[in-house]
Amino acid sequence: MSPKLSDSTAEEMLRQRMRENDLDQLGVARVAGKSRTWVGNQLFANPLKTLWTMYLSEPQTLRALSKAFGYENEYTLLIALGLFDTETITNLAQHIDVSRTAAFPLNPNAEPASLTVKIPIYGTVGAGLKKIHAHDHPSEFVEFDMRELPKAVDVAKLFILVVNGDSMSDEFVTRQIPHGSKILVESDAIPTDGKIVVAWIPQLETGVVKQYFSKGEDTLLRSYKVGGPTFWASQYPDMVLEGVVRRVIWEP
């Protein structure tokens, strides 16, 4: 494995690739769906940490950025930085399943070159035992200023669902998700304990929005409402986590 570059050397390398590929900071920002400030104060100031974090949390964005810099893919960029070697990449390729499991397609209206982005509404999701309605074609779009969106999310994976049910609403819970709320969801995201997720349970033909907890080898999805529905992955082994709720964007 080639030695890891210093941040200053990595910055010089990226700036050289930027010049060779007729990019300026605005062009880099547009490809990454970020601001020019992010390019200067984060990407160039701390390139190794920034690109490694993108590899872990924003792989599609890193892939687009790598190609803009003239690399074949994100792995060749990471190899050039000394963060990976070809043997590691080969071993990873044997174990990584790159197919998407979520039922929601990537948003074709994600336009990182613009300051605004249209996020699709794909229907409703049950806060209780209500059937999800996931459509191939969005029912409508909601336009956002990208600066208002959560940090470090893949814009192309964002979609909106309308909550149908009241099991995520309780008088003892401060941050409720009442019936009729619109929730902003990032598909394929990995949840941590306490996060709100959207899951599809094929056995019940039901989509639910619930609070996620990892319990050893099992997973619990629970309601906010006392006595509301709970779901264990061990009971429903075909359960699929569709995404993580990043924001309740509207409440009735």
Side-chain angles (χ1 to χ4, degrees):
M1 179 175 178
S2 58
K4 184 172 69 174
L5 301 184
S6 65
D7 275 321
S8 60
T9 303
E11 178 191 0
E12 183 180 344
M13 183 190 78
L14 291 176
R15 289 187 181 277
Q16 177 64 32
R17 301 290 295 207
M18 188 170 71
R19 290 190 292 270
E20 292 173 355
N21 289 276
D22 296 323
L23 282 175
D24 55 15
Q25 286 198 194
L26 180 58
V28 173
R30 286 175 171 172
V31 171
K34 311 288 186 181
S35 66
R36 293 181 67 177
T37 302
W38 175 88
V39 176
N41 294 348
Q42 193 162 329
L43 177 61
F44 287 149
N46 202 348
L48 297 182
K49 180 179 179 181
T50 299
L51 293 171
W52 184 254
T53 300
M54 291 180 73
Y55 167 70
L56 297 175
S57 61
E58 301 177 75
Q60 289 191 330
T61 304
L62 178 59
R63 184 174 300 119
L65 194 59
S66 300
K67 291 183 177 180
F69 279 119
Y71 291 95
E72 182 180 355
N73 52 45
E74 67 272 31
Y75 299 114
T76 53
L77 170 58
L78 294 175
I79 289 171
L81 294 170
L83 295 173
F84 259 146
D85 58 25
T86 53
E87 182 180 355
T88 301
I89 296 297
T90 301
N91 291 336
L92 278 173
Q94 296 174 356
H95 298 285
I96 294 176
D97 177 11
V98 297
S99 62
R100 299 181 68 251
T101 57
F104 299 93
L106 292 177
N107 176 15
N109 287 280
E111 300 171 353
S114 172
L115 286 178
T116 61
V117 62
K118 293 180 180 179
I119 307 296
I121 299 178
Y122 278 114
T124 63
V125 62
L129 290 172
K130 304 284 186 180
K131 186 174 181 180
I132 193 172
H133 299 284
H135 306 292
D136 290 334
H137 301 287
S139 57
E140 59 179 299
F141 290 86
V142 177
E143 190 169 280
F144 287 86
D145 186 312
M146 287 190 62
R147 292 166 294 189
E148 298 175 352
L149 294 174
K151 304 290 185 184
V153 298
D154 188 337
V155 175
K157 292 185 177 182
L158 292 177
F159 61 94
I160 296 168
L161 294 172
V162 180
V163 175
N164 185 3
D166 62 359
S167 71
M168 294 303 288
S169 178
D170 191 279
E171 60 180 320
F172 298 109
V173 178
T174 302
R175 302 179 69 179
Q176 303 187 50
I177 309 177
H179 172 76
S181 297
K182 290 187 175 72
I183 52 175
L184 184 67
V185 185
E186 183 183 8
S187 67
D188 295 346
I190 300 174
T192 55
D193 282 356
K195 292 293 185 181
I196 306 302
V197 300
V198 172
W200 171 250
I201 307 174
Q203 184 175 338
L204 301 177
E205 293 190 350
T206 297
V208 296
V209 53
K210 290 285 173 278
Q211 191 175 28
Y212 170 96
F213 290 96
S214 177
K215 301 289 186 179
E217 296 183 357
D218 208 347
T219 298
L220 169 66
L221 303 184
R222 76 177 189 186
S223 302
Y224 276 166
K225 183 182 288 294
V226 176
T230 60
F231 303 91
W232 289 91
S234 56
Q235 291 178 290
Y236 304 100
D238 54 356
M239 179 190 297
V240 177
L241 292 180
E242 300 285 7
V244 176
V245 176
R246 295 306 187 191
R247 185 173 297 168
V248 179
I249 61 173
W250 178 81
E251 296 182 4

